């Protein structure tokens, strides 16, 4: 009985110590949450990125919820997929994890496809829009062939041995995918798409073989600029007297003309090329800025 006060004192001391210095008990942290590596991806056209499902060992079912014409899913795996961007727009990728026959979890990732990157042939700046953000030059149009191609007749019999075939131009109104660069006063740059005829082919080959060609072009009325070719070109006359703004054409075999705006010409022209539509609006402004009263126009192939 005499020990009771002593035990009570010890218990009181322990209680006081527990209040002053509480005993810490380690708490186990929860597991990392399951989720996609990104909920928004920006991918340039013709490029790819990998999307992953994090913190799960279960198989994931990948699919395109919207925008199937904008993206494609490649190399589908248990926990990741490769997204291939095709054209500009917004798509949604869906990932589904099945836990049981009745329980599933769905995750989505928005994919924004931007314009493909291209390097400016003039200043080397890398862009995604249709115009260079550094110098204003337009996006080059890819050329599938090194020069223009037109059909040629195949001679038979004695004609094949005695004469060589001459190229037969297709309709001068048809266009190819071949383009060259036209600069005005070394300040403005335009993409010129070539026509599918023999005159356009000869002009293009001169640019390829001889390097850049420079002309000092004078005014021919309010609608045209003109210069003289060093090497005459045989032409294929157009079907129409009307020329559009930005058209490059010939009078005869040695007078090169550049149309400033839509108008009718005095004779059937030989069409060589045309400034692409996106650049036509800048053409008249560029031709108004002369150097010492002259307009210097240079043609060259894409680099």
């Amino acid at each position: 009985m005499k020990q009771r006060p002593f035990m009570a004192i010890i218990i009181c001391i322990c209680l006081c110590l527990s209040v002053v210095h509480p005993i810490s008990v380690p708490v186990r942290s929860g597991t990392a949450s399951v989720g996609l590596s990104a909920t928004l991806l920006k991918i340039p056209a013709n490029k790819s990125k990998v999307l992953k499902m994090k913190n799960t060992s279960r198989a994931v079912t990948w699919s395109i919820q919207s925008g199937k014409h904008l993206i494609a899913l490649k190399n589908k795996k248990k926990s990741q997929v490769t997204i291939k961007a095709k054209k500009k727009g917004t798509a949604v990728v869906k990932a589904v994890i099945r836990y049981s026959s009745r329980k599933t979890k769905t995750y989505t990732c928005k994919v924004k496809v931007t314009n493909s990157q291209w390097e400016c042939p003039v200043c080397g700046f890398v862009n995604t829009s249709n115009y260079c953000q550094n110098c204003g030059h337009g996006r080059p149009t890819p050329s599938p062939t090194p020069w223009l191609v037109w059909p040629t007749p195949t001679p038979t019999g004695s004609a094949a041995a005695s004469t060589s075939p001459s190229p037969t131009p297709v309709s001068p109104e048809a266009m190819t995918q071949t383009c060259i660069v036209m600069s005005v006063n070394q300040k403005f740059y335009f993409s010129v798409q070539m026509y599918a005829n023999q005159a356009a082919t000869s002009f293009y080959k001169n640019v390829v073989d001889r390097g850049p060609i420079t002309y000092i072009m004078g005014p021919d009325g309010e609608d045209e600029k003109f210069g003289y070719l060093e090497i005459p070109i045989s032409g294929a006359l157009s079907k129409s007297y009307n020329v559009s703004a930005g058209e490059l054409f010939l009078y005869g075999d040695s007078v090169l003309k550049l149309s400033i705006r839509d108008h009718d010409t005095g004779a059937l022209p030989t069409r060589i090329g045309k400034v692409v539509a996106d650049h036509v609006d800048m053409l008249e402004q560029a031709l108004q800025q002369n150097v010492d009263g002259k307009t210097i126009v240079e043609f060259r192939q894409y680099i």
Side-chain angles (χ1 to χ4, degrees):
M1 295 298 293
K2 294 181 179 180
Q3 294 180 350
R4 286 183 179 179
F6 178 75
M7 293 297 296
I9 293 172
I10 293 177
I11 292 173
C12 290
I13 293 173
C14 291
L15 290 174
C16 292
L17 291 174
S18 66
V19 173
V20 178
H21 300 286
I23 301 173
S24 61
V25 179
V27 179
R28 185 178 179 182
S29 60
T31 57
S33 60
V34 178
L36 293 171
S37 58
T39 57
L40 174 63
L41 289 176
K42 292 184 179 180
I43 311 175
N46 302 319
K47 300 293 183 180
S48 301
K49 282 189 178 181
V50 175
L51 181 64
K52 297 181 180 181
M53 182 66 73
K54 304 184 298 181
N55 306 318
T56 184
S57 59
R58 295 180 179 272
V60 181
T61 302
W62 303 96
S63 62
I64 301 176
Q65 182 172 294
S66 63
K68 292 184 178 180
H69 62 294
L70 304 176
I71 62 173
L73 301 183
K74 307 290 184 181
N75 302 323
K76 295 181 181 180
K77 296 183 180 179
K78 183 178 179 180
S79 60
Q80 70 179 46
V81 67
T82 300
I83 304 174
K84 172 72 173 181
K86 295 192 290 186
K87 59 186 298 186
K88 184 179 180 180
T90 302
V92 177
V93 174
K94 182 172 69 173
V96 178
I97 300 178
R98 183 175 295 278
Y99 292 95
S100 65
S101 60
R102 296 184 178 181
K103 184 179 179 182
T104 60
K105 180 68 175 178
T106 301
Y107 304 84
T108 58
C109 175
K110 182 182 291 186
V111 179
K112 290 188 176 181
V113 182
T114 60
N115 285 331
S116 58
Q117 295 181 340
W118 57 279
E119 182 176 334
C120 179
V122 177
C123 67
F125 193 82
V126 178
N127 305 271
T128 56
S129 62
N130 289 330
Y131 293 94
C132 178
Q133 297 177 0
N134 184 50
C135 70
H137 181 68
R139 178 194 289 263
T141 302
S143 175
T145 55
W147 49 69
L148 306 182
V149 178
W150 60 89
T152 56
T154 303
T156 58
S158 59
S162 58
T163 61
S164 58
S166 59
T168 301
V170 298
S171 168
E173 313 304 323
M175 304 291 289
T176 70
Q177 294 301 313
T178 302
C179 285
I180 59 176
V181 176
M182 180 181 73
S183 66
V184 178
N185 298 328
Q186 298 181 344
K187 293 182 179 180
F188 296 87
Y189 295 86
F190 303 88
S191 297
V192 178
Q193 187 177 0
M194 307 303 291
Y195 279 101
N197 60 53
Q198 185 178 355
T201 302
S202 299
F203 185 83
Y204 181 83
K205 286 184 176 181
N206 284 337
V207 173
V208 173
D209 295 338
R210 301 175 60 234
I213 301 179
T214 302
Y215 298 94
I216 298 177
M217 303 188 77
D220 190 2
E222 297 180 353
D223 298 323
E224 299 173 355
K225 292 280 186 177
F226 78 98
Y228 295 98
L229 297 176
E230 295 181 5
I231 301 175
I233 297 176
S234 59
L237 295 180
S238 174
K239 299 178 180 179
S240 171
Y241 288 95
N242 180 265
V243 291
S244 303
E247 281 202 289
L248 191 68
F249 58 97
L250 288 177
Y251 272 165
D253 59 0
S254 59
V255 180
L256 180 67
K257 292 203 172 188
L258 176 61
S259 175
I260 302 174
R261 55 185 65 88
D262 298 352
H263 67 286
D264 288 332
T265 62
L268 287 173
T270 297
R271 303 177 193 272
I272 293 179
K274 184 177 181 180
V275 174
V276 297
D278 291 344
H279 300 180
V280 171
D281 293 339
M282 299 172 55
L283 182 60
E284 186 170 356
Q285 175 187 355
L287 293 173
Q288 289 175 350
Q289 299 185 17
N290 298 330
V291 177
D292 297 330
K294 301 174 182 178
T295 302
I296 301 175
V297 181
E298 182 181 84
F299 300 93
R300 61 180 175 178
Q301 68 179 126
Y302 275 116
I303 300 173

